[in-house]
Amino acid sequence: MLEKPLLVINGVGFALSLVLAALRRSLSFRLKLLRHSMSSSSSPSEPKKPKNIVIIGASIAGYTAARTIAQYLLPDSEYRVVVVEPRDHFHFTWVLPRFCVVEDHEHKAFIPYGGYLPAGSFEADGGKVAWIKDRVARVSKDSVSMESTGEEIPYGFLIVATGSGATDSLPSRVPATDKAQGMELLREMQKRIRESKDLVVVGGGAAGVELVTDAKSKYPEKRVVLVHSRDAVMHRFGPKLQNAAMDGMEKLGIEVITGDRVISEDKEKGIAVLKSGREIVCDCLVNCTGQRPDSRLIAQLSPASISESGHILTKPTLQIQDDSLPNVYACGDVSETNTTHPNSRSAMRQATTVAYNVISATEGNEPKETYVPHWMDGGIKLTLGLDKSVANVGDGKTEFLIPSKEKNVALMSAGAWHKLGAKPFVDNESEFLSKIRSKI
């Protein structure tokens, strides 16, 4: 009887705690900045070679960590942020299932980098951020090695935000580092789905459910089949969301097969073969199964810090669980934090925790900020066709379900661009690249 009111009270309390924590940190920084300005010498000091806070990966966790550290480092700090990211744009992955089906919106999934960082971050005089468009090939206890050049970059602190799904493909991830190639891959997927008659999708998580409902909603004449190895789709979530997903698919006429898996595809015969021996007519097979964390760099450096699932084991401060490497942190999908449903909210909270701990450590203090998972981080908005969605949040015992109508086929793309400091849908990639090249 009281479960839902108590859940609401708990959620409101958590939201207020986040606001108060942000205010506390902001006030603390302003006071620190004031003390610094009052005690700083007016005579110019000899410039020193900066020490590096290297961040590997600039998806939402790495990008947020870079923004926060750059914002709160003191003006004359000897540290700077060095971001290493191979992609030329931020990939807004939440819209990928939609843009695998709907044409002419694929460019909206690629948001220009740079705008999310504090103003002046790339300035030669006083800027706190350097950005390298490359991959990290190896990590040692005090440096990272670039893949394309072999350059060794020393670090005072290392933040690993490499995410998950590095080897995955659409509709979960875009296996491309440049926007043009990524858009072409999306158009190829659109064409495959558009020209198919019998679409089979493997995996009943969010990506699979959203892809089949979008495809059937846009092309009602197609036969669309979803195959999921578990007994229920959206099995990581509560029964209300599971039922809502099944109900949405059934209303669209999608055939759902649970408790079975696709083991092979015979393209000549035009069939997909299931583990049970059943054969399904198939001229387009799309894989939407789960992603793996990209923890290989830490696996080389500290094998004992990798969990059985491939995640990086972390302390509550999000330092990795290797006492010999207290200056190495991990956040986002790659880290093991016992977060029930990892998403951008939990990744941003983890990135903020890491950022404040690193800033504190640069000033000679022990890291004190800790990340504690909360059920509100696991909320999800699941689309069930081109014009329907359902939001779900719960603590594992009680859950809320909020159905809604979707009026914008591009979903929340414009809002994501605004959030990351970019004007929808104006791409200023050349400006960003010129800034980072001049900075380096």
Side-chain angles (χ1 to χ4, degrees):
M1 188 83 176
L2 295 175
E3 288 87 351
K4 287 189 175 181
L6 289 173
L7 192 69
V8 171
I9 292 170
N10 182 277
V12 171
F14 173 70
L16 286 174
S17 72
L18 294 182
V19 172
L20 291 174
L23 290 172
R24 172 180 57 81
R25 289 163 176 162
S26 178
L27 179 60
S28 175
F29 176 72
R30 289 175 184 274
L31 291 172
K32 183 167 60 176
L33 196 60
L34 179 62
R35 290 193 297 269
H36 175 268
S37 64
M38 293 175 66
S39 61
S40 295
S41 171
S42 58
S43 58
S45 58
E46 190 71 23
K48 299 178 182 178
K49 186 176 181 180
K51 297 179 180 179
N52 297 324
I53 302 167
V54 174
I55 300 176
I56 307 176
S59 292
I60 196 62
Y63 205 8
T64 299
R67 167 192 169 93
T68 308
I69 295 171
Q71 184 176 1
Y72 288 107
L73 279 176
L74 289 172
D76 63 350
S77 172
E78 61 184 339
Y79 287 90
R80 70 167 179 174
V81 175
V82 179
V83 178
V84 184
E85 167 58 55
R87 300 174 304 179
D88 58 11
H89 287 73
F90 180 93
H91 292 186
F92 184 31
T93 56
W94 188 71
V95 295
L96 292 179
R98 170 62 54 91
F99 295 164
C100 282
V101 176
V102 176
E103 300 96 337
D104 301 326
H105 294 276
E106 53 274 3
H107 60 285
K108 298 175 184 177
F110 303 94
I111 305 174
Y113 275 123
Y116 194 48
L117 299 172
S121 291
F122 297 118
E123 296 297 326
D125 183 18
K128 291 296 184 183
V129 180
W131 194 289
I132 301 174
K133 189 178 181 297
D134 203 344
R135 295 184 189 277
V136 172
R138 290 179 303 281
V139 172
S140 74
K141 291 188 176 184
D142 53 21
S143 68
V144 297
S145 176
M146 297 300 99
E147 185 177 83
S148 62
T149 64
E151 179 186 4
E152 295 282 335
I153 299 177
Y155 66 81
F157 297 91
L158 177 66
I159 300 172
V160 180
T162 43
S164 63
T167 58
D168 291 345
S169 58
L170 290 170
S172 299
R173 296 289 187 270
V174 182
T177 57
D178 66 275
K179 175 183 176 180
Q181 184 185 2
M183 288 175 61
E184 185 56 33
L185 290 172
L186 280 164
R187 292 187 188 112
E188 289 174 5
M189 179 66 82
Q190 293 164 8
K191 184 173 185 287
R192 284 183 60 204
I193 292 174
R194 182 175 64 248
E195 294 180 352
S196 69
K197 294 182 179 178
D198 297 282
L199 172 65
V200 176
V201 174
V202 182
V209 171
E210 291 184 335
L211 186 73
V212 294
T213 52
D214 279 356
K216 188 66 174 177
S217 181
K218 183 170 175 61
Y219 304 110
E221 74 283 357
K222 291 188 191 302
R223 179 173 180 248
V224 178
V225 180
L226 178 72
V227 182
H228 188 51
S229 61
R230 304 299 183 100
D231 291 333
V233 298
M234 302 297 295
H235 61 275
R236 297 183 186 278
F237 293 84
K240 287 188 177 181
L241 185 61
Q242 294 174 11
N243 293 335
M246 280 297 297
D247 185 57
M249 289 188 288
E250 288 173 357
K251 286 180 178 177
L252 287 167
I254 296 165
E255 182 181 348
V256 181
I257 300 171
T258 56
D260 210 341
R261 65 176 70 240
V262 173
I263 58 172
S264 65
E265 178 189 13
D266 190 326
K267 292 185 178 180
E268 289 187 3
K269 292 182 179 179
I271 58 170
V273 181
L274 305 188
K275 186 178 180 180
S276 63
R278 180 177 174 182
E279 296 180 350
I280 306 172
V281 176
C282 171
D283 60 4
C284 180
L285 182 69
V286 180
N287 185 12
C288 295
T289 52
Q291 303 148 22
R292 291 280 297 174
D294 183 12
S295 57
R296 51 197 164 81
L297 293 172
I298 295 300
Q300 298 166 9
L301 177 65
S302 177
S305 298
I306 306 300
S307 70
E308 289 185 6
S309 63
H311 292 85
I312 299 173
L313 295 168
T314 56
K315 301 175 182 179
T317 55
L318 297 184
Q319 296 163 289
I320 70 169
Q321 282 191 8
D322 186 333
D323 290 337
S324 70
L325 298 166
N327 58 336
V328 179
Y329 294 76
C331 57
D333 287 351
V334 73
S335 62
E336 179 58 78
T337 58
N338 296 317
T339 302
T340 308
H341 308 303
N343 57 28
S344 62
R345 285 182 297 278
S346 58
M348 292 173 76
R349 281 216 300 128
Q350 291 169 32
T352 302
T353 298
V354 167
Y356 284 112
N357 280 335
V358 168
I359 292 167
S360 181
T362 65
E363 298 167 357
N365 302 314
E366 287 293 318
K368 293 180 179 179
E369 298 281 341
T370 59
Y371 171 75
V372 179
H374 192 276
W375 56 264
M376 277 193 71
D377 286 337
I380 185 175
K381 183 177 183 180
L382 184 74
T383 60
L384 295 171
L386 296 179
D387 61 351
K388 296 177 183 177
S389 68
V390 60
N392 174 264
V393 66
D395 63 356
K397 300 176 182 178
T398 306
E399 60 179 316
F400 282 100
L401 209 60
I402 308 168
S404 61
K405 291 284 187 180
E406 291 296 325
K407 298 179 181 178
N408 189 341
V409 72
L411 300 172
M412 296 186 291
S413 298
W417 281 62
H418 278 300
K419 173 72 174 177
L420 296 181
K423 181 180 179 181
F425 295 99
V426 179
D427 195 338
N428 59 356
E429 176 201 1
S430 58
E431 180 183 345
F432 168 69
L433 291 177
S434 68
K435 285 182 179 180
I436 66 173
R437 284 167 185 155
S438 63
K439 175 72 175 181
I440 293 170

